Amino acid sequence: KQEVTQIPAALSVPEGENLVLNCSFTDSAIYNLQWFRQDPGKGLTSLLLIQSSQREQTSGRLNASLDKSSGRSTLYIAASQPGDSATYLCAVISGSARQLTFGSGTQLTVLP
Amino acid sequence: NAGVTQTPKFRVLKTGQSMTLLCAQDMNHEYMYWYRQDPGMGLRLIHYSVGEGTTAKGEVPDGYNVSRLKKQNFLLGLESAAPSQTSVYFCASRQPGLQGYTFGSGTRLTVV
């Protein structure tokens, strides 16, 4: 059974810092890995999708890497802003129905 | 460009009542999914569908039924609601292949 772990569970940083969120998964037989953002009481917004054959994806200040063989992904956020405050969820796509398995998330607070 | 639309957004049920949550997508996606999100448990897969007329069980299917009579709609039913079904329910859809997921904004259900 696929299990996804995110570390840390919560992170508080001052504005302008660069930061790294970590995600690990137990079964390396994945198709994709997707990073989401969730604001309090809201739905999930897709940030980045990494195909299993890719090593990284970039979107603006966000960069996600994937090391499939070691079962790890990182989300790098450059020059953090208070508007980045949210919960960040990592999810891997695996199994016959390509279902998502989520980590429990990292709650990020960026202090002005 | 509605994407994935869930109705209702909020609902309060009494124990034993029934209800249906509707998910509609306008992206012509083949695959649709229902997840529930609980504090400390992350998102867990309830049921999914890989095409019109098909359904399958996910990780936590007990107490729920689903139907996919039309490609664009995926219904989640609670026949006899229990307080343990208090949760936020998310619907998602995707195309086959290496595409990512698109999520709806969620339905917050409270069973008293």
Side-chain angles (χ1 to χ4, degrees):
Chain A
K1 178 186 172 185
Q2 179 74 266
E3 293 183 357
V4 180
T5 303
Q6 290 187 245
I7 295 173
L11 181 64
S12 183
V13 300
E15 182 176 4
E17 270 203 10
N18 302 324
L19 57 99
V20 175
L21 307 181
N22 296 293
C23 172
S24 62
F25 46 95
T26 55
D27 184 353
S28 63
I30 67 169
Y31 296 100
N32 300 335
L33 185 143
Q34 198 164 357
W35 282 94
F36 295 89
R37 169 185 172 139
Q38 186 175 30
D39 293 287
K42 303 294 185 182
L44 282 71
T45 300
S46 179
L47 297 174
L48 290 165
L49 173 69
I50 310 178
Q51 314 283 2
S52 62
S53 59
Q54 296 176 321
R55 300 287 284 184
E56 64 179 305
Q57 280 287 332
T58 298
S59 176
R61 295 183 293 109
L62 304 179
N63 175 276
S65 67
L66 173 63
D67 185 343
K68 185 179 165 183
S69 61
S70 68
R72 296 178 185 275
S73 176
T74 61
L75 179 66
Y76 175 83
I77 302 177
S80 58
Q81 302 171 357
D84 294 331
S85 297
T87 297
Y88 290 80
L89 295 164
C90 168
V92 297
I93 300 173
S94 59
S96 57
R98 309 291 202 269
Q99 58 259 43
L100 277 172
T101 303
F102 283 86
S104 296
T106 293
Q107 185 173 355
L108 173 66
T109 302
V110 181
L111 304 170
Chain B
N1 59 342
V4 178
T5 302
Q6 293 183 232
T7 53
K9 296 190 186 305
F10 303 93
R11 184 73 185 268
V12 178
L13 281 181
K14 293 182 179 179
T15 298
Q17 286 185 322
S18 63
M19 78 163 294
T20 300
L21 281 67
L22 171 64
C23 176
Q25 53 95 2
D26 61 2
M27 298 170 287
N28 203 35
H29 284 176
E30 288 291 333
Y31 295 170
M32 297 186 74
Y33 304 80
W34 277 107
Y35 286 85
R36 60 178 289 174
Q37 185 177 34
D38 303 291
M41 303 290 290
L43 282 96
R44 294 177 292 168
L45 181 64
I46 305 171
H47 286 281
Y48 63 96
S49 168
V50 297
E52 181 178 318
T54 75
T55 63
K57 295 180 180 180
E59 182 184 356
V60 288
D62 294 342
Y64 305 95
N65 57 76
V66 288
S67 65
R68 183 106 181 263
L69 299 179
K70 293 183 178 181
K71 185 178 182 179
Q72 64 268 33
N73 295 336
F74 195 28
L75 279 63
L76 178 70
L78 287 73
E79 291 186 347
S80 179
S84 61
Q85 294 178 304
T86 294
S87 188
V88 181
Y89 291 86
F90 287 101
C91 176
S93 70
R94 64 183 291 274
Q95 278 291 59
L98 299 178
Q99 302 304 309
Y101 281 65
T102 301
F103 276 80
S105 58
T107 295
R108 188 173 297 274
L109 175 66
T110 302
V111 183
V112 298

